Amino acid sequence: MHIERSRLLAKLEVDSQSAKPISAMCLDKPTINKNPNAVFWMRLIRSRWLLIQLRTGVLELWDLNENNLSTPLDSCHSIDGTIDDSVIKEDPCHNVMLLYFSTRSWIAYQLVFDLPHLGEARQANPKIAPSICFRGFAGLSDVKGALFVFSRTIGKENAGFIGDSSTAAAVYLQPNTNVHINMSPLTAQYDLCRIKHEVLDIKVHEEVVIVARNCNFDIYSLDHINSLLRDRNADTTHPFCHPIQSLVYPQLDESIYRASLICAPSSSLGVERGAVVLLSVESSGCYGAVLHQRNDVHPTSSHIEFQIKPMDGIAEPNSLVFNLAMGLTGRRFATLSDRFLTLYPTCPPGYAQAQEGISEAFASWLIPGRLGDTPGLLEFDETTGVCVVAMASGRIWVVDATGFTLEDSGLLPQNFAKDDNDATFIPNPDPARWPLTLPMPAPFGIEHSDKSPREIAPG
């Protein structure tokens, strides 16, 4: 089924580029209805299962294949804190899926799920039974064996840590604050005081650990990290690990504040085998960089050295990006605003030669409601085209991109703009009611002004 779905998505991408610019289809009734501001976190699992956390801290597991989604299959009340990040790992030997997640209460949990894939005919075991695997850290970014990668700990936000779950010892990934960042004079003057070398993403890749920060990569030796973790425990202080190499992002005009590291990039991105790709999609512009190991290093040398180059031809969103979901291999991504859910191929064929400002979206949906809705959460599986959207009004939609047809796009129901159609829910809940654990809705990216401050008129 995944092969057929991938073929349909590829055909939709090609057809959308050969036709006139697509129009959005209007979403139908929500798949799941919750109270306003009730959903704090969610994760799409194998394109069929949806795990959500509510404001009360309760975890709920839903089977999206059911026709009438009124009650979850299972729920759990034992999670301490709001989930902030998660990592999914497959265990092919036991045909199970491992879901790791961290909470803002500095606890990391593990869930073992025996759930079939979309279209797979076998019995499921939808039981939520979390177990604690690490304490003292949050912002889980990656898991490899017993190594857990976090972005922060108590008292150190956006720092970068690697811990060993067998001993609870951890290493602090010290940033290189001496890298030279070459930006335009205006941007540099505006940004230098604000650059904090924040962690955007961290991945364990072969023999190194790669940390993507606001303006540069910091690369650390995994052997050195393991040697620092050896013979330590949770009671000792976190030793510092310095990067073996730091590389500034090329052709960077301003700091980036949201990005994903892709360690197994799709061939559609046009990068060499074994490369690591950084992708940043923001309202102010898109950016990509390719990191790969140097081939001219002597084969007998134990020294690891990387080089970096810019990545061109990334699709530009045609609307504000309040939320973003990047595909696992970076082939496709989804964006969400207060009005539209839109899917893009990351590197559309021929996009570099296209006219500036042309959108390369291959599917788009309009959020129902005359006043729109405050964007909430977004999940996207680039292989199957299944997308899940949770808005602040409590409405949750499950969308299948393989069912999007260019011929039917743009058709809106007759009662779309009527006031009485919006009377049953709050389309834009009061921002003061938003939980403190979630950021205020705002487009990613900061628009810099070239105007100097003006004196306030007297009176």
Side-chain angles (χ1 to χ4, degrees):
M1 175 173 283
H2 284 201
I3 296 177
E4 177 63 17
R5 283 179 165 270
S6 181
R7 186 190 66 81
L8 291 173
L9 291 174
K11 183 178 184 300
L12 184 59
E13 290 177 358
V14 174
D15 292 344
S16 64
Q17 294 175 47
S18 60
K20 61 181 181 180
I22 66 171
S23 299
M25 297 178 63
C26 187
L27 290 174
D28 204 350
K29 294 181 179 180
T31 310
I32 301 173
N33 282 292
K34 289 291 183 180
N35 294 328
N37 294 325
V39 182
F40 273 25
W41 172 89
M42 71 177 184
R43 189 68 192 257
L44 179 63
I45 301 172
R46 293 180 170 177
S47 296
R48 175 180 168 180
W49 312 88
L50 184 65
L51 187 66
I52 65 175
Q53 186 184 32
L54 303 179
R55 179 186 356 208
T56 57
V58 177
L59 276 181
E60 292 183 349
L61 181 65
W62 297 76
D63 183 359
L64 302 181
N65 271 11
E66 292 186 357
N67 295 326
N68 185 17
L69 292 175
S70 57
T71 57
L73 294 178
D74 193 25
S75 59
C76 173
H77 298 73
S78 61
I79 300 299
D80 184 3
T82 303
I83 300 175
D84 55 5
D85 286 293
S86 61
V87 174
I88 289 180
K89 295 290 183 180
E90 298 285 346
D91 185 354
C93 297
H94 301 89
N95 199 25
V96 297
M97 184 214 68
L98 305 176
L99 174 64
Y100 303 92
F101 60 88
S102 58
T103 71
R104 296 178 185 270
S105 296
W106 315 103
I107 302 176
Y109 293 87
Q110 173 185 282
L111 283 172
V112 180
F113 281 130
D114 183 12
L115 301 173
H117 292 269
L118 179 66
E120 184 181 2
R122 68 179 179 88
Q123 189 67 29
N125 182 19
K127 184 66 177 176
I128 305 177
S131 59
I132 297 176
C133 48
F134 225 107
R135 292 181 181 272
F137 299 90
L140 183 65
S141 298
D142 199 7
V143 177
K144 187 171 184 179
L147 296 181
F148 282 66
V149 183
F150 301 95
S151 63
R152 55 189 180 272
T153 188
I154 302 173
K156 281 189 177 180
E157 293 288 330
N158 291 302
F161 295 85
I162 291 190
D164 188 339
S165 60
S166 62
T167 62
V171 171
Y172 171 47
L173 302 177
Q174 174 76 30
N176 182 3
T177 58
N178 297 321
V179 293
H180 177 67
I181 301 171
N182 185 19
M183 294 184 184
S184 64
L186 174 64
T187 306
Q189 184 179 9
Y190 185 84
D191 273 2
L192 279 178
C193 61
R194 303 189 308 120
I195 295 176
K196 301 178 182 179
H197 303 276
E198 296 176 344
V199 174
L200 305 181
D201 200 359
I202 313 176
K203 288 292 184 290
V204 179
H205 180 65
E206 298 178 353
E207 301 175 356
V208 296
V209 175
I210 302 172
V211 180
R213 303 187 188 273
N214 298 110
C215 300
N216 67 285
F217 286 118
D218 281 337
I219 304 171
Y220 303 82
S221 169
L222 187 57
D223 287 341
H224 182 48
I225 292 173
N226 285 327
S227 66
L228 292 174
L229 289 172
R230 204 170 295 124
D231 301 327
R232 290 183 179 270
N233 54 55
D235 298 330
T236 60
T237 57
H238 307 314
F240 284 26
C241 181
H242 297 277
I244 58 175
Q245 189 179 7
S246 295
L247 295 170
V248 177
Y249 304 145
Q251 301 178 7
L252 188 67
D253 294 328
E254 60 183 33
S255 302
I256 58 178
Y257 296 92
R258 179 183 177 92
S260 299
L261 279 175
I262 311 296
C263 290
S266 168
S267 58
S268 65
L269 302 183
V271 299
E272 56 266 40
R273 189 181 183 88
V276 176
V277 174
L278 173 86
L279 291 174
S280 174
V281 179
E282 303 180 356
S283 296
S284 58
C286 302
Y287 180 81
V290 182
L291 186 69
H292 59 92
Q293 196 165 344
R294 293 179 63 98
N295 297 324
D296 53 356
V297 178
H298 196 276
T300 60
S301 173
S302 60
H303 181 65
I304 302 174
E305 189 171 344
F306 288 81
Q307 57 188 12
I308 190 173
K309 64 180 181 180
M311 182 177 174
D312 301 320
I314 304 176
E316 295 279 350
N318 60 353
S319 61
L320 293 177
V321 181
F322 285 86
N323 210 332
L324 169 78
M326 182 64 66
L328 187 62
T329 68
R331 178 173 181 174
R332 304 178 179 100
F333 65 87
T335 65
L336 178 65
S337 70
D338 58 335
R339 299 294 289 170
F340 295 99
L341 163 65
T342 313
L343 307 185
Y344 298 86
T346 303
C347 292
Y351 179 73
Q353 291 77 33
Q355 296 180 5
E356 184 177 356
I358 293 180
S359 170
E360 293 293 329
F362 66 88
S364 183
W365 295 266
L366 190 64
I367 306 296
R370 184 175 58 85
L371 300 177
D373 202 342
T374 305
L377 305 170
L378 176 63
E379 281 287 294
F380 174 53
D381 189 328
E382 65 173 1
T383 304
T384 62
V386 176
C387 195
V388 183
V389 176
M391 306 300 282
S393 61
R395 300 179 296 173
I396 300 176
W397 280 279
V398 179
V399 178
D400 186 353
T402 60
F404 186 88
T405 56
L406 299 176
E407 293 79 8
D408 295 336
S409 65
L411 300 180
L412 303 181
Q414 294 181 356
N415 64 345
F416 170 71
K418 289 185 178 180
D419 291 343
D420 57 358
N421 195 38
D422 298 332
T424 58
F425 67 94
I426 304 174
N428 288 286
D430 182 2
R433 293 164 50 194
W434 274 73
L436 297 178
T437 53
L438 291 179
M440 293 294 292
F444 292 108
I446 299 174
E447 295 292 338
H448 301 298
S449 173
D450 57 355
K451 297 180 180 179
S452 58
R454 291 179 294 178
E455 183 179 358
I456 300 176

